[in-house]
Amino acid sequence: MPKAEKAQAVADFKEKLNRARSVVLTDFRSLKVSELDTLRGSLRKAGAEYHIVKNTLLTIAAGEAGVDGLAPYLTGPTAIAIGFDDPVAPAKAIQDFIRQFRKLEVKGGYVEGRTIDADG
């Protein structure tokens, strides 16, 4: 990824994190493309977005946005669900997806100013 694209990606994620009411970090490795599309659709209905992201770029964006505590969860393949309306809607949509497909691993998240682990 060229340097300009990386800078733009960091700026985009920083803006999204500033507006976010909740963030859920997941490991998406076991998902097929069709399952990713299903998950994205569910999250879209819940007022959230789902992006596969490079850990280093998200670490930089989170630091610039003042979102602390995500670094321990940013290892391995990472995707981020960002909720802008209801802070629990993304987590509910992800839990429903996990119940249906028995795939996807939640790493942790950030809800209205505090970091939570996968159990939270």
Side-chain angles (χ1 to χ4, degrees):
M1 188 182 279
K3 199 171 194 173
E5 287 180 30
K6 288 179 183 178
Q8 184 60 47
V10 168
D12 290 345
F13 279 113
K14 176 184 173 187
E15 184 271 328
K16 290 176 190 298
L17 290 171
N18 281 329
R19 291 187 307 129
R21 298 206 46 213
S22 65
V23 169
V24 180
L25 300 172
T26 64
D27 182 339
F28 63 93
R29 267 186 283 214
S30 62
L31 299 182
K32 297 176 185 173
V33 173
S34 61
E35 294 166 338
L36 270 171
D37 289 342
T38 300
L39 177 58
R40 281 189 172 120
S42 297
L43 287 165
R44 203 172 300 115
K45 289 177 187 173
E49 297 177 1
Y50 192 71
H51 302 278
I52 294 171
V53 62
K54 289 185 173 280
N55 293 330
T56 53
L57 299 181
L58 186 56
T59 300
I60 294 166
E64 290 180 6
V67 177
D68 298 321
L70 294 182
Y73 308 113
L74 296 176
T75 59
T78 303
I80 183 172
I82 306 170
F84 300 107
D85 301 324
D86 181 1
V88 296
K92 285 182 183 177
I94 288 172
Q95 284 301 327
D96 289 344
F97 179 86
I98 291 171
R99 276 190 218 104
Q100 181 180 1
F101 290 94
R102 304 278 185 230
K103 294 183 176 182
L104 195 67
E105 176 188 336
V106 175
K107 295 180 172 187
Y110 191 81
V111 178
E112 294 188 330
R114 62 184 185 131
T115 305
I116 55 172
D117 62 8
D119 295 331

